[in-house]
Amino acid sequence: MTDEPTKKKKVSYVGSPACFALELACKPINAAFGGFGCYLVGSALERDDWRDIDVRYIMADDEFKTEFPAVNMKAHTWEFDPKWILLSTGMAAYLSKATGLPVDFQFQPQTHANEKHKGKRHPLGLVFVKDDA
């Protein structure tokens, strides 16, 4: 038995105030696109030695197809679609500049995200509505 303290599990390993900047920067992205919104995924949720911050914007499959009509959904060809590349890299650059973090941003259809990426997701840029009742 060791006397080492148990390492406390964190919600994410993105330190503040960077995580607050990430929350704020995702709000207009969530407002601009239909879908479920931005999520923090990947290694920054698991450990403190992450390489980059993985942000995924998950859309219902039909919304994704409407936004990226040239994509073959069954073949998962969106990473070769010029519109998808431009929007994904543009959002990555925007989030990186707004937060000072190395952000990897991608749009993903819901079915693909749920089937291929079973890890944790942390919603970003949520808007809370005041209840006047």
Side-chain angles (χ1 to χ4, degrees), residues 76-106:
H76 301 167
T77 61
W78 50 83
E79 292 182 353
F80 301 99
D81 179 68
K83 183 179 180 184
W84 184 91
I85 293 169
L86 180 64
L87 288 176
S88 292
T89 58
M91 293 299 141
Y94 158 70
L95 290 172
S96 292
K97 184 160 178 82
T99 64
L101 296 166
V103 175
D104 171 0
F105 180 95
Q106 295 176 24

Side-chain angles (χ1 to χ4, degrees), residues 22-127:
L22 187 60
E23 288 283 346
L24 286 172
C26 285
K27 286 180 187 285
I29 298 172
N30 288 347
F33 293 94
F36 300 107
C38 292
Y39 291 86
L40 176 63
V41 300
S43 60
L45 292 174
E46 302 293 332
R47 58 187 193 276
D48 60 5
D49 66 341
W50 46 264
R51 178 178 54 93
D52 59 12
I53 302 298
D54 297 305
V55 176
R56 301 296 179 262
Y57 191 95
I58 299 175
M59 305 172 97
D61 292 355
D62 59 332
E63 291 173 344
F64 186 90
K65 184 64 178 164
T66 299
E67 189 66 43
F68 305 103
V71 166
N72 180 328
M73 295 291 284
K74 292 184 190 237
H76 301 167
T77 61
W78 50 83
E79 292 182 353
F80 301 99
D81 179 68
K83 183 179 180 184
W84 184 91
I85 293 169
L86 180 64
L87 288 176
S88 292
T89 58
M91 293 299 141
Y94 158 70
L95 290 172
S96 292
K97 184 160 178 82
T99 64
L101 296 166
V103 175
D104 171 0
F105 180 95
Q106 295 176 24
F107 289 96
Q108 288 185 339
Q110 180 185 20
T111 299
H112 173 79
N114 289 342
E115 288 176 357
K116 303 294 183 187
H117 306 287
K118 305 274 189 207
K120 297 189 302 184
R121 293 181 191 148
H122 180 84
L124 295 167
L126 297 178
V127 176

